[in-house]
């Protein structure tokens, strides 16, 4: 784990890329466009060259032609035909541009956004759970998810602008070389100065963004809390909004300070660049052209008019070329973040190995210890546990005892720090992750209800016709039967009001029953229930326990609880404290022992109706 983290963080603070690295990043994004929207990409490329040709032809060259035609007293018919051809070129360019911008571009950008986000989401879904506990991963993910599609458009725009500027410079340069090649030198010098200054500007801007992004995420969190319905009740019933608002103000102030200090550098570099370019290009170039027409008589009035326009345009295009190249390298820096995120490599998710046995087997934990990333104190220490096929095992303890951590290890959401977990005689780390987990159904304490239909929330997938009856059956077993019958659309009822005004918001208990139904829909061999009845009232809890025993009779069941009404039916109970097993046995044995379990049970006994255990 340590080695993986160091590898992934090695390039996280890059503030500058070589031209080769920038080009590799740009080429990667262009490859996406060529793969996903090829027609748009190649039409756009052809359009860029068309626009460049028309721009030069109707600009500098037209000025030269008209001034020379007037000086040489050419006929109106010749001038009219020339202007007619130029008008035809402009009309064709405008029609092609409208087709590209209004028809091709919107769908192409939507397609690219879809493909890029799909790649990001697929990658995120395959990441080890440990990454979600590191701020760096969140920062990289947020950066990639929020910037990827925008920066893709920026990269494409920069590339096309480079192609446009290069083609314009070729056309203009040819015209200038034919009339007075010295003027190209003026444009090249101003472009070199702009390239140097703008390179520094990009570096400074990126450094500012790098410093501000974690603070921006902190600010956005405070802001986001105010419009999420999950937090609405607590905000209105307490003064927690004062804390959030204060943190929002604090983060905003820190961001302002970062950009205020950085702005001083930006002003100095940008100002020096503008002053030099204006003096060198406008003053010195006009002096040179005036000398050529008045003293040496080497150019005509038409040449003078064409060169004034061509040189100014050439220099402007050189500056634009520098700017778009800088913009492309800036986008390439952001693409580097996208690449960094894609470069995260899971060690657990998607791991290959042997296939898990289809038969229910013994699960054995041998001297298992676990420490979370970045922590020094173990959450679990020297856990030894054997779970036989079809057993009903209860893991109990107070909050923070390590119960949920133990379940995450059993599901192989984490790998043990010490010791090993065996399925039968096989270390689970040698089993293909997907194959191993297919045998497990789990309901976690922090389960989620999605903005989808009730049936989809149970199936956690699209509902097949042959599944509908089974979904109704498991919902009934979990205690949701009467509620579903009252829904006009049954299992097709939309949950939450995220997208549908007539959507149903489930109560805490109803949501938990829906989540519980998930684990009994599929033929799982092992069922894990993390606080399965925490949101249920005592009557519903009793009914749930009876139903669970019935429908899980052919499964190994492991449930976690600090409410002990469920533990009476367990074949064996493990009591955890501070990450260690302190007691083990049946309910009867532990009550006779009179230890920590008995003390915990008796404190809660008044809430339950139980049979005498003597």
């Amino acid at each position: 784990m340590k080695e993986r983290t160091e590898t992934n963080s090695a390039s996280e603070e890059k503030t500058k890329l070589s031209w080769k690295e920038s080009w590799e990043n740009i080429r990667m994004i262009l490859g996406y466009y060529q793969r996903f929207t090829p027609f748009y990409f190649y039409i756009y490329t052809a359009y860029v060259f068309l626009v460049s040709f028309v721009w030069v032809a109707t600009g500098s060259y037209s000025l030269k032609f008209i001034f020379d035609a007037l000086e040489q007293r050419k006929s109106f018919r010749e001038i009219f035909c020339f202007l007619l051809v130029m008008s035809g070129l402009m009309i064709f360019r405008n029609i092609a541009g409208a087709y590209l911008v209004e028809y091709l571009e919107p769908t192409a950008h939507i397609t690219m956004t879809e493909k890029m986000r799909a790649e990001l989401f697929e990658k995120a879904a395959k990441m080890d759970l440990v990454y979600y506990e590191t701020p760096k991963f969140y920062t990289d993910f947020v950066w990639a998810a929020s910037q990827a599609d925008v920066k893709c458009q920026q990269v494409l725009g920069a590339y096309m602008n480079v192609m446009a500027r290069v083609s314009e410079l070729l056309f203009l340069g040819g015209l200038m070389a034919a009339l007075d090649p010295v003027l190209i030198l003026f444009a090249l010098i101003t472009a070199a100065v702009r390239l140097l200054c703008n390179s520094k500007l990009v570096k400074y801007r990126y450094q500012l963004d790098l410093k501000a992004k974690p603070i921006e995420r902190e600010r956005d969190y405070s802001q986001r809390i105010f419009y999420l319905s999950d937090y609405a009740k607590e905000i209105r019933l307490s003064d927690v909004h004062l804390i959030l608002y204060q943190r929002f103000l604090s983060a905003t102030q820190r961001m302002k300070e970062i950009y205020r200090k950085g702005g001083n550098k930006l002003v100095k570099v940008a100002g020096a660049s503008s002053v030099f370019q204006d003096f060198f290009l406008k003053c010195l170039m006009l002096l040179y052209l005036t000398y050529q027409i008045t003293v040496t008589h080497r150019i005509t009035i038409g040449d003078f008019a064409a060169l004034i326009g061509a040189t100014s345009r050439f220099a402007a295009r050189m500056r634009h070329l520098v700017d778009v190249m800088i913009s492309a390298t800036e986008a390439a820096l952001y693409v580097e973040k996208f690449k960094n995120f894609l470069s995260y490599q899971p060690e657990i998710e998607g791991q290959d190995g042997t296939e898990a046995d289809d038969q229910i087997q013994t699960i054995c934990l041998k001297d298992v210890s676990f420490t979370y990333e970045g922590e020094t104190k173990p959450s679990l220490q020297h856990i030894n546990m054997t779970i036989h096929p079809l057993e009903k095992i209860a893991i109990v303890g107070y909050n923070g005892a390590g119960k949920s951590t133990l379940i995450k290890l059993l599901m192989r959401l984490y790998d043990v720090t010490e010791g090993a977990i065996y399925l039968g005689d096989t270390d689970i780390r040698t089993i293909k992750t997907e194959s191993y987990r297919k045998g497990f159904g789990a309901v976690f304490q922090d389960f989620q209800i999605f903005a989808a239909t009730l049936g989809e929330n149970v199936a956690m997938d699209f509902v097949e016709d042959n599944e509908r009856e089974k979904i109704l059956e498991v919902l009934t077993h979990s205690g949701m039967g009467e509620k579903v019958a009252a829904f006009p659309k049954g299992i097709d009822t939309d949950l939450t009001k995220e997208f549908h005004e007539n959507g149903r918001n489930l109560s805490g208990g109803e949501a938990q029953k829906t989540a519980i139904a998930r684990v009994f829909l599929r033929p799982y061999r092992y069922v894990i229930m993390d606080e399965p009845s925490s949101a249920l009232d005592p009557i519903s809890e009793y009914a749930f326990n009876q139903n669970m025993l019935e429908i899980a009779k052919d499964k190994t069941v492991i449930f976690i609880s600090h409410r002990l009404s469920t533990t009476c039916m367990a074949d064996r109970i493990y009591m955890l404290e501070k990450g260690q097993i302190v007691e083990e046995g049946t309910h009867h044995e532990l009550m006779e022992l009179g230890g920590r379990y008995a003390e915990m049970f008796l404190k809660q006994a008044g809430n339950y109706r139980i049979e005498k255990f003597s």
Side-chain angles (χ1 to χ4, degrees), residues 306-319:
L307 286 170
I308 285 288
T311 306
S312 296
R313 287 184 166 199
F314 190 90
R317 266 21 192 187
M318 284 296 295
R319 292 197 301 271

Side-chain angles (χ1 to χ4, degrees), residues 197-211:
C197 293
N198 282 20
S199 296
K200 291 185 176 297
L201 289 176
V202 166
K203 179 182 177 181
Y204 293 156
R205 289 189 191 114
Y206 185 77
Q207 287 173 338
L208 290 178
D209 278 353
L210 201 63
K211 290 177 182 178

Side-chain angles (χ1 to χ4, degrees), residues 420-433:
I421 299 175
Y422 293 88
L423 184 64
D425 297 324
T426 307
D427 189 326
I428 66 172
R429 288 171 293 193
T430 66
I431 301 174
K432 186 185 297 184
T433 306

Side-chain angles (χ1 to χ4, degrees), residues 410 412 423 428 431-440:
L410 285 171
R412 212 192 164 201
L423 184 64
I428 66 172
I431 301 174
K432 186 185 297 184
T433 306
E434 183 181 1
S435 175
Y436 175 74
R437 290 208 191 120
K438 275 185 177 179
F440 286 81

Side-chain angles (χ1 to χ4, degrees), residues 53-257:
F53 174 76
V54 173
W55 180 75
V56 174
T58 58
S60 299
Y61 181 74
S62 292
L63 276 175
K64 173 176 170 52
F65 179 87
I66 291 170
F67 273 96
D68 285 346
L70 294 174
E71 187 179 16
Q72 297 166 17
R73 298 184 180 279
K74 289 187 177 181
S75 68
F76 174 77
R77 187 171 180 275
E78 282 186 84
I79 296 174
F80 175 78
C81 289
F82 175 81
L83 293 176
L84 190 63
V85 171
M86 294 298 106
S87 298
L89 284 174
M90 287 190 287
I91 290 170
F92 180 71
R93 176 200 61 190
N94 292 339
I95 292 173
Y99 173 72
L100 178 74
V101 172
E102 304 298 337
Y103 181 74
L104 291 181
E105 191 172 275
T107 54
H109 286 331
I110 290 172
T111 300
M112 276 298 295
T113 298
E114 173 198 350
K115 299 296 184 181
M116 295 291 287
R117 292 291 173 88
E119 188 161 350
L120 283 171
F121 296 158
E122 183 179 354
K123 183 70 177 182
K126 293 179 179 178
M127 296 310 301
D128 292 347
L129 195 63
V130 65
Y131 282 120
Y132 285 86
E133 296 171 0
T134 59
K136 180 188 178 303
F137 175 82
Y138 266 118
T139 299
D140 282 351
F141 188 21
V142 169
W143 199 323
S146 63
Q147 296 287 335
D149 51 339
V150 174
K151 293 304 174 182
C152 280
Q153 294 179 31
Q154 184 180 338
V155 167
L156 179 67
Y159 169 76
M160 292 303 176
N161 272 314
V162 168
M163 293 296 101
R165 300 301 84 85
V166 168
S167 57
E168 288 164 355
L169 290 172
L170 288 174
F171 293 132
L172 279 174
L175 180 62
M176 292 169 65
L179 299 177
D180 192 337
V182 173
L183 291 175
I184 296 178
L185 184 62
F186 281 86
L188 291 176
I189 292 174
T190 57
V193 172
R194 191 174 185 87
L195 176 61
L196 177 64
C197 293
N198 282 20
S199 296
K200 291 185 176 297
L201 289 176
V202 166
K203 179 182 177 181
Y204 293 156
R205 289 189 191 114
Y206 185 77
Q207 287 173 338
L208 290 178
D209 278 353
L210 201 63
K211 290 177 182 178
K213 185 58 69 174
I215 302 173
E216 183 181 350
R217 189 162 65 84
E218 182 181 335
R219 184 195 64 176
D220 289 348
Y221 170 80
S222 299
Q223 178 177 288
R224 188 171 69 250
I225 292 300
F226 281 96
Y227 62 76
L228 290 177
S229 60
D230 295 350
Y231 302 91
K233 294 187 292 295
E234 283 82 354
I235 287 176
R236 282 151 181 79
L237 295 174
S238 70
D239 289 331
V240 70
H241 66 280
L242 299 177
I243 299 174
L244 296 171
Y245 183 61
Q246 184 58 44
R247 288 182 177 174
F248 173 81
L249 291 179
S250 173
T252 301
Q253 188 60 40
R254 280 179 283 155
M255 288 181 66
K256 286 166 63 177
E257 187 63 21

Side-chain angles (χ1 to χ4, degrees), residues 301-468:
I301 295 294
D303 293 340
F304 181 84
L307 286 170
I308 285 288
T311 306
S312 296
R313 287 184 166 199
F314 190 90
R317 266 21 192 187
M318 284 296 295
R319 292 197 301 271
H320 291 167
L321 177 61
V322 170
D323 289 346
V324 296
M325 289 176 69
I326 295 299
S327 175
T329 58
E330 182 180 6
L333 277 169
Y334 287 90
V335 174
E336 188 73 13
K337 279 287 184 182
F338 176 73
K339 285 176 62 179
N340 282 347
F341 178 75
L342 293 182
S343 71
Y344 279 93
Q345 293 301 320
E347 293 181 353
I348 298 175
E349 302 301 322
Q351 176 186 296
D352 204 0
T354 60
E355 294 287 339
D357 197 304
D358 289 337
Q359 302 301 314
I360 296 181
Q361 295 182 288
T362 299
I363 300 173
C364 185
L365 288 78
K366 294 186 178 180
D367 201 33
V368 165
S369 296
F370 178 77
T371 305
Y372 281 101
E373 182 77 10
E375 299 290 333
T376 55
K377 184 179 179 181
S379 295
L380 292 173
Q381 301 180 65
H382 308 296
I383 301 295
N384 289 283
M385 181 184 298
T386 301
I387 304 170
H388 299 289
L390 304 183
E391 271 194 316
K392 309 298 182 278
I393 299 297
I395 301 172
V396 302
Y398 293 101
N399 289 337
K403 306 185 299 296
S404 294
T405 299
L406 181 58
I407 292 304
K408 290 172 185 175
L409 294 178
L410 285 171
M411 292 288 293
R412 212 192 164 201
L413 295 172
Y414 295 94
D415 274 336
V416 300
T417 307
E418 297 177 17
I421 299 175
Y422 293 88
L423 184 64
D425 297 324
T426 307
D427 189 326
I428 66 172
R429 288 171 293 193
T430 66
I431 301 174
K432 186 185 297 184
T433 306
E434 183 181 1
S435 175
Y436 175 74
R437 290 208 191 120
K438 275 185 177 179
F440 286 81
V443 177
F444 294 106
Q445 186 175 359
D446 53 353
F447 64 87
Q448 298 294 327
I449 295 296
F450 298 91
T453 68
L454 175 60
E456 289 166 344
N457 266 280
V458 174
M460 297 296 280
D461 200 344
F462 295 108
V463 175
E464 303 292 340
D465 288 339
N466 59 0
E467 288 183 319
R468 298 180 69 84

